[in-house]
Amino acid sequence: PRKLFYGMLLTSGSMLIMALAGWLQQSSGLRVGGYWLVLAYFVITVGELCLSPMGLSLVTRLSPKRLVGLMMGGWFCATAFGNKLSGFLGELQNKMDPMPFFLLLTGAALLVALFLRLLLPKLEAEKNSLQLEQNEARLAELRKTYDLKRSAAAADLRILEIRRARA
């Protein structure tokens, strides 16, 4: 779950990079280089690599077994909503200067990161309790297998003893 938090911090960092580029453009009046965009995309991609796989994993792990498909649909529905929101923000970008626009996005991403930070203890506790349940189930399965093998070995020994007694 901590990767979700780190992913949102990286997303905030990416928006901050773009705000800095907007500030440089506004203060100097010159065009900024494309490397700002490349750097921002690199940072946001690393952030996405922290967010998406971890989010999908949490959805599948923490959802009740019979609702996993529905919850995955909810995850992808939220992604679609986010894409729609980005279209709305694209319209807003045309009406704002670059620096305030990207500072607004930085603040929004930081708010989400703060929200995730507040949820971390609960998410980690749920994940740990689920892991404990899975480990206990696996241990019970291994014990059952061991008991079956042990009783099968005892039966094999008994058959050998009977064959020796007959011979």
Side-chain angles (χ1 to χ4, degrees), residues 134-147:
Q134 290 173 344
N135 288 343
E136 288 172 351
R138 179 72 178 134
L139 182 60
E141 184 181 312
L142 289 173
R143 282 184 179 147
K144 184 178 176 182
T145 303
Y146 173 75
D147 289 342

Side-chain angles (χ1 to χ4, degrees), residues 24-153:
L24 286 174
Q25 186 266 332
Q26 281 179 329
S27 65
S28 68
L30 300 173
R31 297 177 72 172
V32 293
Y35 56 87
W36 288 96
L37 191 58
V38 171
L39 180 62
Y41 262 101
F42 175 76
V43 173
I44 202 166
T45 300
V46 174
E48 176 67 20
L49 289 174
C50 292
L51 277 168
S52 189
M54 192 64 204
L56 287 170
S57 174
L58 276 176
V59 166
T60 55
R61 281 187 182 175
L62 298 180
S63 299
K65 294 291 182 203
R66 67 183 195 282
L67 297 178
V68 169
L70 180 67
M71 294 298 155
M72 291 292 286
W75 174 268
F76 289 117
C77 187
T79 302
F81 176 73
N83 289 335
K84 180 66 177 167
L85 182 63
S86 70
F88 167 74
L89 291 175
E91 291 176 13
L92 183 64
Q93 180 183 14
N94 293 333
K95 299 173 184 167
M96 293 179 71
D97 288 331
M99 187 184 75
F101 174 74
F102 285 109
L103 284 177
L104 175 72
L105 293 180
T106 301
L110 282 174
L111 282 175
V112 173
L114 176 65
F115 177 71
L116 285 172
R117 178 65 183 104
L118 295 174
L119 281 180
L120 274 178
K122 183 174 171 117
L123 286 174
E124 287 178 344
E126 282 292 321
K127 183 182 171 201
N128 291 339
S129 70
L130 183 64
Q131 188 69 39
L132 182 62
E133 288 174 17
Q134 290 173 344
N135 288 343
E136 288 172 351
R138 179 72 178 134
L139 182 60
E141 184 181 312
L142 289 173
R143 282 184 179 147
K144 184 178 176 182
T145 303
Y146 173 75
D147 289 342
L148 289 174
K149 287 182 179 180
R150 196 171 86 196
S151 61

